[in-house]
Amino acid sequence: MPVKQKETGRTECDIYIFIYIDDDDNQHALLHELQMGIMDGYPRKPNTQHHLSLMDAPAGATSSTTHAPPGPHHHATAKKRHHSGRTKTILLFVVTNSISILLSVSFSHVTGLGSGGDGGGDSALDFAFSVLSSSQSLAVDLHNRIEATDSIIKRLISNSGKMKRDAPLPKLTPEEELTVALGPHTLPFGYTPNLDSDKLYPAVGAACHRHRDELRKYMRYNVSGDCPSDEAFAERLMLKGCEPLPRRRCRAGGPAGFPDPTPFPESLWVIPADKSVSWAPYACKNYSCLVDRARRPGRNDLDCKACFDLAGKEQRRWVGQGGDLDYDIDTVLSSKPRGTIRIGLDIGGGTGTFAARMAERGLTVVTTTLDLGAPFGAFVASRGLVPLHLGAVAGRLPFFDGTLDIVHSMNVLGNWVPGAVLEAELYDIYRVLRPGGIFWLDHFFCTGKELTEVYVPIIEGVGFRKLRWNTGKKLDKGPNADEWYISALLERPMM
């Protein structure tokens, strides 16, 4: 009959024993068959096809197992059972159940699943437990070996990946590198409704495709190495409309010994250290040269001649009423409810002085600039302000619709801009301003005839509401020169 002990988390062991005791010879045969059965069946769990069958059960005993074919020993025991009669059958039943109970108690004691007992048992049971113990040790050893093998495989995979990462990237021709930069690139997970495409198209200016020779030159560099020092060349490409430029897979250079910046707000009016700039692309090789350049007679190719002189004319900009064309910054801010002008944009802001004035008043203004003949972007950043490398006149402003409180532009917008481009720029400014936001048009330059026939109709046609409007002559060439300025404070109407 079956003896079964089971506990959650422990190995289940089923022992099926069919015992017929007749004489000493049969006892020895029993022991041998028990040993062989355990050796042959362990560690498989017995089922209806495979049991630890020791001997056929006697007549009257019940078993669900499939028995082995009877042998000579089986016939001998059958004859003896025939002569014993009912008495031996009863004795067999008592002895078998007694041994099963004894085995159950002993097995529970040894395996720790039960309690009581002195751990004793016959040699067959001891042998069975020995086999179980040895098999358990083998299983533990096998588990340790599998873990060790798994660790080795993981190290091999890791080293393989490292070898691939350390391997040099394939060298591409400038045309192939340009193809990588311009795309398109198939998305790893296929179509996405956000892009309405299964491909990713890098943002590159349309004019880049019209300057393939310059682009090939721009894309000649060492992949994963240092980028070439070609800032001036890149700037010229941007001015041709190749904006934004294609991205490159190289490390941008920087000045040696770059110092920590001056803490804010002291940085707003401090000339930065010369080591904060790579001077190779510029005629001047330090900031002193740039500060003194406007004071020297002769030709000056900088758009803002004195804007690096923070102790000079820059100190007086937008502070106090300097005339009908020169608006005071506090007067402009007072045209709106206090605290409602918070963020803005300065188009073509030079060295960032307008943004500095706003920062002194707790406002955040982004300055667009280009490094034309001098490191304007680095200078703006050294003051603790945000420079945006953008030729804003020809391109769409990179801001969300209806988000800015103020947009300012001085000297950049003028009659050098084609009328259609200027009109599109003004509509784009209208777009990024929130309802009630203001556009400060500061010293727009044109001739008297252009003023009345071209630019006033364009400005008025956009739909701004005039909060303030002033025109006046540009007098640096004398009163007889037909050169005029427009300064205006324009509001996007409230909806």
Side-chain angles (χ1 to χ4, degrees):
M1 65 181 296
V3 176
K4 182 176 181 180
Q5 294 290 335
K6 183 176 180 181
E7 180 179 296
T8 302
R10 295 181 178 271
T11 303
E12 180 180 342
C13 181
D14 297 341
I15 301 176
Y16 290 78
I17 302 176
F18 303 92
I19 301 175
Y20 179 78
I21 300 177
D22 192 354
D23 53 21
D24 293 339
D25 292 335
N26 283 338
Q27 292 180 16
H28 290 298
L30 171 63
L31 175 60
H32 175 73
E33 291 188 23
L34 179 61
Q35 293 173 345
M36 293 302 100
I38 293 176
M39 288 295 292
D40 181 63
Y42 183 81
R44 294 189 303 273
K45 187 176 179 179
N47 54 42
T48 58
Q49 299 298 324
H50 299 281
H51 282 298
L52 302 180
S53 179
L54 304 181
M55 295 183 65
D56 284 341
T62 302
S63 173
S64 62
T65 62
T66 300
H67 302 296
H73 182 71
H74 171 76
H75 292 293
T77 56
K79 287 181 180 181
K80 292 180 181 180
R81 186 170 61 249
H82 176 72
H83 293 291
S84 299
R86 186 172 298 179
T87 303
K88 280 194 173 183
T89 301
I90 296 173
L91 178 62
L92 173 63
F93 179 80
V94 173
V95 172
T96 302
N97 281 277
S98 299
I99 293 176
S100 297
I101 294 171
L102 177 62
L103 289 178
S104 174
V105 174
S106 300
F107 183 78
S108 299
H109 174 76
V110 173
T111 57
L113 298 176
S115 60
D118 57 1
D122 57 21
S123 59
L125 195 58
D126 291 340
F127 181 77
F129 292 147
S130 175
V131 171
L132 289 173
S133 178
S134 299
S135 299
Q136 186 179 16
S137 299
L138 289 173
V140 172
D141 181 64
L142 179 61
H143 176 74
N144 293 336
R145 288 174 182 269
I146 291 173
E147 284 191 337
T149 303
D150 182 62
S151 177
I152 292 172
I153 291 173
K154 286 181 179 178
R155 287 200 299 271
L156 288 174
I157 293 173
S158 176
N159 291 337
S160 174
K162 184 176 184 299
M163 290 170 62
K164 290 180 180 179
R165 290 192 298 270
D166 293 343
L169 295 173
K171 186 174 179 61
L172 303 178
T173 66
E175 186 66 31
E176 291 171 331
E177 191 65 34
L178 187 57
T179 300
V180 172
L182 299 181
H185 300 281
T186 301
L187 293 171
F189 302 108
Y191 175 84
T192 173
N194 290 337
L195 301 177
D196 192 23
S197 175
D198 63 348
K199 293 180 175 60
L200 182 65
Y201 293 85
V204 180
C208 293
H209 297 279
R210 295 195 295 269
H211 303 285
R212 300 289 292 199
D213 291 339
E214 285 106 322
L215 269 180
R216 290 188 187 93
K217 181 179 178 181
Y218 180 71
M219 300 305 287
R220 286 195 187 99
Y221 64 92
N222 294 324
V223 175
S224 75
D226 294 332
C227 295
S229 180
D230 57 358
E231 292 89 343
F233 178 71
E235 199 79 36
R236 288 197 300 272
L237 262 176
M238 292 181 66
L239 290 174
K240 290 180 179 181
C242 185
E243 178 188 26
L245 286 164
R247 295 191 296 189
R248 300 193 294 190
R249 298 183 294 160
C250 57
R251 289 181 290 273
F258 189 92
D260 289 331
T262 303
F264 187 86
E266 291 83 2
S267 60
L268 291 174
W269 300 100
V270 173
I271 301 295
D274 292 334
K275 286 188 176 181
S276 62
V277 174
S278 296
W279 294 95
Y282 312 115
C284 278
K285 302 304 179 184
N286 52 57
Y287 278 120
S288 296
C289 173
L290 290 174
V291 171
D292 295 338
R293 195 170 183 175
R295 302 171 185 171
R296 294 194 300 266
R299 180 179 177 273
N300 193 321
D301 57 0
L302 287 180
D303 283 344
C304 58
K305 298 178 181 179
C307 57
F308 286 93
D309 185 9
L310 298 184
K313 186 178 179 180
E314 291 295 291
Q315 280 281 354
R316 301 186 294 274
R317 285 189 184 274
W318 304 292
V319 179
Q321 192 71 32
D324 290 340
L325 296 171
D326 300 320
Y327 296 171
D328 172 66
I329 198 168
D330 292 317
T331 301
V332 171
L333 294 177
S334 65
S335 66
K336 305 298 293 183
R338 182 178 178 84
T340 59
I341 298 180
R342 307 148 300 157
I343 55 175
L345 169 68
D346 187 18
I347 300 175
T351 56
T353 296
F354 180 82
R357 289 296 186 202
M358 289 293 193
E360 290 175 330
R361 290 156 176 79
L363 281 68
T364 301
V365 170
V366 174
T367 301
T368 73
T369 189
L370 290 167
D371 286 346
L372 293 176
F376 286 94
F379 192 84
V380 172
S382 74
R383 301 178 76 174
L385 306 169
V386 181
L388 185 63
H389 197 183
L390 181 70
V393 173
R396 189 176 191 266
L397 295 171
F399 296 94
F400 288 102
D401 295 2
T403 53
L404 301 182
D405 300 314
I406 186 170
V407 175
H408 173 264
S409 180
M410 180 178 185
N411 293 330
V412 173
L413 298 182
N415 65 350
W416 72 274
V417 181
V421 175
L422 176 66
E423 184 180 28
E425 178 76 4
L426 294 177
Y427 274 108
D428 206 30
I429 292 171
Y430 188 100
R431 174 186 66 81
V432 300
L433 283 171
R434 62 166 174 81
I438 56 177
F439 171 41
W440 183 349
L441 182 62
D442 199 350
H443 287 77
F444 179 94
F445 172 78
C446 61
T447 65
K449 184 177 180 176
E450 293 170 335
L451 175 67
T452 57
E453 296 182 3
V454 180
Y455 296 113
V456 170
I458 287 177
I459 295 171
E460 291 179 342
V462 174
F464 289 110
R465 186 169 76 91
K466 293 179 181 177
L467 300 181
R468 186 171 175 180
W469 181 277
N470 296 94
T471 60
K473 276 197 169 185
K474 184 175 182 290
L475 299 176
D476 58 337
K477 293 182 180 179
N480 295 325
D482 187 24
E483 295 182 339
W484 289 76
Y485 280 129
I486 302 174
S487 286
L489 202 61
L490 308 172
E491 180 189 58
R492 174 175 170 172
M494 300 291 288
M495 304 302 290

